[in-house]
């Protein structure tokens, strides 16, 4: 299995490095592995859906 770094995932998904680290810490990204201080993210992992925002409808 091929892995990418947090920095590579952040560039690929268009988010900050800190956001990817948070997703790794909460194990939201399937298959993520920690080696010492570094995270290894599978290359085929897709960007998780951002659950911080809700769609609002104007009335």
């Amino acid at each position: 299995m091929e892995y990418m770094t947090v920095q590579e995932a952040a560039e690929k998904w268009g988010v900050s490095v800190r956001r990817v680290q948070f997703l790794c810490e909460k194990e939201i990204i399937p298959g993520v592995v920690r080696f010492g201080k570094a995270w290894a993210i599978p290359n085929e992992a897709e960007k998780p859906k951002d659950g911080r925002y809700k769609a609002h409808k104007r009335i």
Side-chain angles (χ1 to χ4, degrees):
M1 181 177 279
E2 296 291 321
Y3 292 96
M4 60 182 157
T5 64
V6 170
Q7 291 82 7
E8 293 170 341
E11 291 176 12
K12 180 179 176 181
W13 297 338
V15 295
S16 69
V17 170
R18 182 64 191 122
R19 182 69 183 154
V20 176
Q21 289 172 338
F22 175 80
L23 295 172
C24 291
E25 289 169 7
K26 299 298 180 185
E27 297 183 6
I28 296 173
I29 302 170
V32 69
V33 180
R34 185 155 190 167
F35 293 108
K37 293 184 179 181
W39 290 101
I41 303 165
N43 280 342
E44 58 272 354
E46 294 186 18
K47 179 182 176 183
K49 185 177 178 183
D50 192 351
R52 296 178 295 172
Y53 301 103
K54 292 184 179 182
H56 296 283
K57 287 187 176 182
R58 288 191 148 174
I59 299 176

